[in-house]
Each structure stands twice: as C-alpha cells, then as structure tokens.
Amino acid sequence: MAGVNRTNGGVNLLAPRSHNTALVLDLLRGAGAGGISRLELAERTGLTPQAVSKITGRLREAGLAVEAGHRASTGGKPRTVLRLVPAAGHAVGIHLDRDALRTVLVDLAGTVVGERRAALDLGAGAEAVVAAVAGEAEALVTGVSGTGPAAPQLAAGSLSALLGVGVALPGPLDHTRGVLHRVTGFPEWDGFPLRDALARRLGVPVAVDKDTNAAALGLAVAGERGSFAYLHLGTGLGAGLVIGGTVHRGARTGAGEFGHQVVQLDGPPCGCGDRGCVEALCLAAVARGDLAEAARVLGIAAGNLVALLDIDLVLLGGRTVTGAPDPFLRGVEAVLDARARHTGEPPIPVRTAPDEVAEGAAQLVLSPLFGRADA
C-alpha cells in the first residue's frame, strides 16, 4: 500500500499514502463500530472491487482494520463487514492558551482516551512554555500507557508511539511554517518557530495552528456541514471559518482575525495596537460583568461576517461563552435577526459549540490520514 506503515508501535503518517486509501479509511471511520462491506466501499468510492480488496487487505495487515462480522445480502453469501480499529493509532492535541494548557490523547476515531489540564503563563518565555508543553504531553502518554484503554498501543509510555502532536494557540501565526507572529498581548513570540522547537523536543511530527481554526476543523470532522463561522471568546476573540466544508486560512494562513475588526473609531486601545477592536470592546464588557453588551458587540461583528461571507451558521464557543451561554446566544441572535428583517432574508441560525480546541488540534494530525487536505 502506498499507505500507512507501522513505526515504533504507531502509524507513520509521513509514509506515502494514496488518495484511494484515504477514501477507504474515511469511510471505515464514518461507519463506526457497525462497519461497512467491501462492496459498499467500492460503490461509495467508485473503485473496483479488486482495488478495494487490495487496500483493505493492506489495512488489515497494518492493524488499521478488522473483520466485524457478516451482513445479509440480497443474493449470494453474506457480506463480510470491516471496521476501523480506533486504538491502532493515537495523537495528542494541545490547547495552548494565554493562561492555561489542556492536553488530550485521542484515538483514530477522535475519541478522547486521556486528558490533562495545567496553568500556564504564555508570557513566561519560549523555553519555559516549550518545556511545559512537552512535559504535559509526556505525562499524559505515560499515564495513559499505564492504565488507560490505549495501554497496549502505548505500552512503551513514549511519545514515539504517537502519530504526532497538534498544538492550537491564539494567533496570528503562519500555519504552513509553524511560526508565530505577534500574538496579541505577547509580541515577544513574533517569529518564534514553535512547530520546529516542539518537534525537536518531542521527537514526533508537530502541527501548529490557531485555536479557532483547530476548533473549526474539529467541528467539521465531527459532522458540521456547509459554511460556518466558529467565534471563540475566551482570553481573546477570534474566528475559525469553514467555507464549503473546508477550513479557510487565507493565502498567508492569516484569515479569521475576527477580533481585530474596528467597530468603534477612536475606541479603547487594543493589544494589537489599534483602537476600537471587537476584542477590546468585548473583553472590557465581560470584565465589568456586562455580558449583554459583550453579546451585542459580538453580534454586530458577527453580522458583518455574515454579510461579507454569506455563511449558513454562526457557532459560539470559548470559555467565556460556555460559562454563560444564554446571554451570548440571545444577544447575537437579536442582532442577526434584526439585520435579517432589514434585508428580507431568513435569519442565520446561532448555536453554541463545545469548547474542544484541544480535540481539534489533534485533528491537525489525524485528518490527513483520512484525506482532509485542509488539516
């Protein structure tokens, strides 16, 4: 198979793999524990039955797929059903926030099998932060390998058994090169090659992206369809954009700096160096306990985004929203509904989304295995 190789107890994502293999793996993942037959795989991929047999045979040999019983057919002998083996590979996802660190271990199906949380100061300096991130990842894998359901696959208690590590943190940053720009409030990170520094420290592949993009990717992988904006309000404010089912990062991977649109000329200063930014106004309202005002400002900015991109859905997340979802839902909905009445268009739906940035970060590593190029 131009596909997936066993390496040090894990699956080497960097090995050459074919588009057809990714299609089959994605269908196996989507079928869940119930599995899918080779005939169904052929019908849904457009591949020949012979090609599907070769691919699934190699996946079975690699430990990524197993037989899951038989299913009655309309004629002839029952069809053998195959399913993905979720525990055949694992990735670590890390949400590196300005003041906290959340680390998760997920299997190939995206199920969290281990988790750690720790306080962190993003301003403590690159060396201290990289050491903290590496230490949390190592402690997580060691703990799970001793007691958790992933223990047989991570028996060595080593990061070398992983597919890789995905890290999500506030932007702006260069996703392609894994280099940070002037993270709002922390200009000292400008130009730091976080991806390469962590890869050297951990000894496994590392992917780095903005927290909002990682969360949006995780939502898309979990089944959120169409074009949507994920608005993340926590220690900062940003957006993850999914257009036509694909994460939109822009030509320089800088799309989604939603919090730094100016909505009040000569407004209060923002950490980005401008004045009257949505982020500054929202965070100031939250700080004084005026969640209704924070939601109104967020709704105005969301309305601008809806008008610009003509998206289908607005999702609200981040710990500030998840801590008090109702006022934010009401406030953003009210602004979008008022705009819809002015234009005569149906209002854009607004929902809350789970605060699962770390899980989305893990998908930066897992998704390419299943053919998602936007990861």
Side-chain angles (χ1 to χ4, degrees):
M1 174 179 61
V4 186
N5 293 339
R6 276 275 173 195
T7 306
N8 297 324
V11 182
N12 182 7
L13 276 184
L14 300 182
R17 63 191 183 281
S18 72
H19 173 67
N20 292 340
T21 299
L23 288 177
V24 171
L25 276 171
D26 192 41
L27 289 171
L28 286 169
R29 178 176 61 169
I36 187 171
S37 71
R38 292 180 179 84
L39 179 59
E40 290 172 298
L41 288 170
E43 290 172 346
R44 294 177 65 176
T45 60
L47 299 172
T48 65
Q50 293 82 0
V52 168
S53 291
K54 287 182 180 179
I55 291 171
T56 55
R58 290 166 180 164
L59 291 175
R60 291 180 61 195
E61 182 182 349
L64 290 167
V66 294
E67 291 188 358
H70 297 83
R71 183 178 297 163
S73 65
T74 55
K77 63 181 181 179
R79 300 173 185 170
T80 300
V81 175
L82 302 172
R83 66 169 179 84
L84 182 71
V85 180
H90 296 85
V92 165
I94 297 172
H95 182 194
L96 176 56
D97 209 344
R98 293 174 173 86
D99 60 358
L101 183 64
R102 178 170 177 257
T103 308
V104 298
L105 182 72
V106 305
D107 62 19
L108 292 180
T111 302
V112 174
V113 297
E115 177 183 8
R116 287 178 63 90
R117 295 176 184 266
L120 182 83
D121 178 8
L122 194 59
E127 183 177 345
V129 171
V130 169
V133 170
E136 284 296 296
E138 290 164 354
L140 175 64
V141 173
T142 300
V144 170
S145 68
T147 60
Q153 286 70 34
L154 298 173
S158 169
L159 289 171
S160 63
L162 294 174
L163 301 176
V165 174
V167 182
L169 72 160
L173 55 81
D174 183 337
H175 163 69
T176 303
R177 296 168 53 233
V179 174
L180 305 191
H181 294 325
R182 293 179 62 86
V183 178
T184 305
F186 298 88
E188 65 272 20
W189 282 97
D190 190 16
F192 184 76
L194 181 62
R195 183 192 65 189
D196 292 347
L198 280 172
R200 284 193 301 269
R201 179 71 180 251
L202 299 172
V204 295
V206 174
V208 172
D209 204 351
K210 290 194 293 189
D211 45 13
T212 49
N213 288 341
L217 174 63
L219 290 165
V221 169
E224 204 64 69
R225 303 301 181 204
S227 298
F228 63 87
Y230 167 76
L231 308 183
H232 183 94
L233 179 58
T235 59
L237 173 63
L241 306 174
V242 173
I243 308 299
T246 301
V247 177
H248 176 71
R249 294 185 175 90
R252 289 163 294 280
T253 73
E257 288 300 310
F258 170 83
H260 301 295
Q261 54 177 305
V262 175
V263 294
Q264 182 181 329
L265 296 179
D266 300 322
C270 179
C272 72
D274 218 327
R275 303 184 70 91
C277 292
V278 177
E279 178 176 295
L281 295 170
C282 273
L283 293 181
V286 170
R288 62 177 182 266
D290 191 350
L291 298 188
E293 174 62 10
R296 186 184 73 85
V297 173
L298 185 60
I300 290 170
N304 293 341
L305 194 61
V306 168
L308 183 65
L309 298 179
D310 193 22
I311 54 178
D312 306 313
L313 172 68
V314 171
L315 294 169
L316 306 179
R319 68 192 194 198
T320 301
V321 171
T322 55
D326 290 344
F328 284 100
L329 276 174
R330 288 196 302 269
V332 175
E333 282 178 342
V335 176
L336 294 184
D337 288 355
R339 287 192 174 223
R341 287 194 296 271
H342 295 156
T343 62
E345 298 288 335
I348 300 298
V350 182
R351 301 202 314 263
T352 57
D355 193 1
E356 296 180 349
V357 175
E359 288 85 343
Q363 289 300 331
L364 295 169
V365 175
L366 293 179
S367 289
L369 182 64
F370 301 96
R372 286 197 67 105
D374 58 337

